[in-house]
Amino acid sequence: MQQPRATSAAKRAHRARVIAAAIAVTSLSGAGAFTLAAMPADQTPASVRTANIHLVTTDAPPPPATPAPGQPAPNPESPTTVTTPPAAPPPGSPAPAPATPPAPGAPADGGRVNNDQGGFSFVVPQGWTQSDARRLTYGSALLTNPAAPNGSILLGRLDLKLFAGAEPDNQKAARRLASDMGEFFMPYPGNRVNQEDQSFDVAGMSAASSYYEVKFDDAAKEPGQIWAAAVGKGKDRWFIVWLGTSASPVDKGVAKALTESIRPWTPPTPPTPPAAQPADPNQPPPPPVDPNQPLPPPADPNQPPPPAAPGVPASEPVPAAPPAPAAPVPPAAPPAPGVPV
């Protein structure tokens, strides 16, 4: 009777070891559940085999993508840059217009200004600024430069206010303009030297320039420089005059670039005031004045003035001026001698 109890105890111990091993494997493999099948008490397992367990985790990174043929394999340590394409416009919306390229030969308009009085626009050279032109005798624009205190640039419409405006040829007009401006701004005896003339084109308009220097007879006076240009045709012509000295010399390249930047300009017309609302033809006319209506009575001069408004002090009556004193009666003249009283 003792042998069967020993056998049953051995079976139970062996089964407990198998269950404990299965539970340990389950906890290591991460399995969510494990089913235990009860074995008959009288059945002894032939052997215990080790199962091949494959661990699969859900947080592992996906395998790297296979590169295309001919492409190098990506470096796992280098960051990956993702380029997001621009969002497409919504259906039905117009596509954005492409940027309009500048016209060939057009100057950079970073410093372009409009001159309404002269009817033209130009690009201010670097380092130069616009100054007050209200006192100019000739021209409608004045440019000055702190780095060239003895230099100035005049611009304006070339009309008959200048003798050069009567010259239809721009080259002759430029020479006459330089000569007249030299006599006006440098009225000192001297000699003109280093004269230069040049013709060129400005946005389809003909242009010409003239330059010379002045050596004054007075050696104490600083030599002067004048560069003048005329651009345009007919009534649409403009001039540039650059006055300089040896200390503030004329930059011929900048002067030509300034001339090439000139463009015609038409100032915008001021808005017209709105027209008066026309009378409604369907509106009935006002009633005529009744000729039988009595006129309002005239104001009574004896009527006292109306009372003053509350809070306003009543005006005090002005006292009448006292009557002037009567003139004294002169004494009677004494009787003449020999005249009886």
Side-chain angles (χ1 to χ4, degrees), residues 17 36 66 68 77 104 116 123 151 168 171 202 226 228 252 271 301 303 309:
R17 286 195 298 272
L36 299 179
T66 303
E77 296 182 359
D116 295 348
V123 177
Q171 187 64 75
V202 175
I226 293 182
K252 301 175 187 176
Q303 186 73 15

Side-chain angles (χ1 to χ4, degrees), residues 333-341:
V339 178
V341 178

Side-chain angles (χ1 to χ4, degrees), residues 207-268:
S209 65
S210 180
Y211 168 82
Y212 65 87
E213 301 174 4
V214 180
K215 300 290 184 180
F216 298 108
D217 294 343
D218 187 357
K221 290 188 177 297
E222 188 179 5
Q225 300 178 1
I226 293 182
W227 191 96
V231 56
K233 183 179 180 181
K235 296 182 178 180
D236 294 331
R237 287 205 299 174
W238 300 273
F239 73 87
I240 300 94
V241 174
W242 188 327
L243 305 172
T245 62
S246 57
S248 302
V250 173
D251 191 328
K252 301 175 187 176
V254 175
K256 182 180 178 183
L258 173 60
T259 307
E260 292 175 341
S261 71
I262 288 183
R263 298 290 185 273
W265 161 255
T266 302

Side-chain angles (χ1 to χ4, degrees), residues 274-304:
Q277 189 71 17
D280 187 2
N282 299 323
Q283 187 73 15
V289 179
D290 186 3
N292 300 323
Q293 185 74 15
L295 297 176
D300 186 1
N302 299 323
Q303 186 73 15

